[in-house]
Amino acid sequence: MAVYLCHEQPDLFEHETQIIDSRPGAARLARSALHPGALVFRRFEGALVTGAQINGDGTARMDFDLPDVDNNLLRAIEPEINDVIRQAMPVRAVYIPTNEAQATPGLLRSLSVTPPPTPDGRYRIVEIGDLDRQACGGTHLSNTGESRPIRLVKIENKGRRNRRIRIALG
């Protein structure tokens, strides 16, 4: 059995909520599986996220600002993402002040929308081993090994600059 904390900062709310579940929901699995998409951020020199959608059926998409990138290069990251999943990297959340988050390159990776700061002015930063560290407000697994492998289902060009990567949990 696994315990998933919906919110790691109970002092902001009256009660800390725990969901006890031996099978994490597909949306949580997909969200955690998308974080290894940090490989896209690293490989393509800071490509920003322009959109994302996580579905309850274990499918998801991420859109990146990637003009002039060959889609075959994007397809090639599937084995690397699955390797990250197999490594069972720890996933944890920390809170840092807004000014520190804004001053740290790579923490706020969305081109137009970032998770809102907490009421006391801090950002929730999700860290996945040594691979990824970014602002994210969603629920996650406690390590990447709890996710099923992913398949890159489709890479689409969405306008001149955007590439859409669709994934499905294996």
Side-chain angles (χ1 to χ4, degrees):
M1 178 176 356
V3 177
Y4 301 95
L5 297 178
C6 287
H7 202 285
E8 292 86 0
Q9 195 171 11
D11 56 313
L12 294 179
F13 300 94
E14 284 185 26
H15 303 285
E16 179 175 346
T17 302
Q18 292 185 347
I19 300 172
I20 309 299
D21 187 358
S22 60
R23 293 177 6 128
R28 186 176 315 145
L29 285 167
R31 180 179 296 108
S32 295
L34 284 174
H35 272 275
L39 295 166
V40 173
F41 180 78
R42 286 181 167 184
R43 180 163 303 154
F44 299 103
E45 299 180 22
L48 295 176
V49 175
T50 59
Q53 179 179 348
I54 300 168
N55 305 310
D57 65 356
T59 61
R61 68 151 171 92
M62 283 191 82
D63 300 341
F64 292 93
D65 180 25
L66 288 169
D68 306 320
V69 169
D70 182 337
N71 288 348
N72 288 324
L73 293 174
L74 293 170
R75 285 184 190 92
I77 66 169
E78 179 180 322
E80 294 175 66
I81 292 172
N82 285 319
D83 184 52
V84 167
I85 291 169
R86 277 190 295 278
Q87 290 178 43
M89 291 182 172
V91 178
R92 71 182 195 118
V94 297
Y95 290 83
I96 65 171
T98 297
N99 60 343
E100 182 182 336
Q102 292 171 339
T104 306
L107 283 186
L108 307 174
R109 295 191 191 156
S110 177
L111 188 61
S112 58
V113 178
T114 58
T118 60
D120 63 349
R122 296 182 297 159
Y123 275 97
R124 181 175 180 263
I125 306 299
V126 172
E127 298 175 340
I128 299 182
D130 295 337
L131 173 73
D132 191 25
R133 185 172 189 249
Q134 67 176 292
C136 187
T139 56
H140 295 79
L141 304 171
S142 62
N143 73 72
T144 59
E146 293 177 0
S147 178
R148 298 190 303 261
I150 62 110
R151 287 180 298 113
L152 292 183
V153 177
K154 189 174 187 180
I155 309 286
E156 302 173 85
N157 294 340
K158 291 296 191 180
R160 267 193 348 241
R161 302 187 59 86
N162 288 305
R163 299 294 179 269
R164 176 168 289 169
I165 300 172
R166 294 186 181 275
I167 72 160
L169 295 169

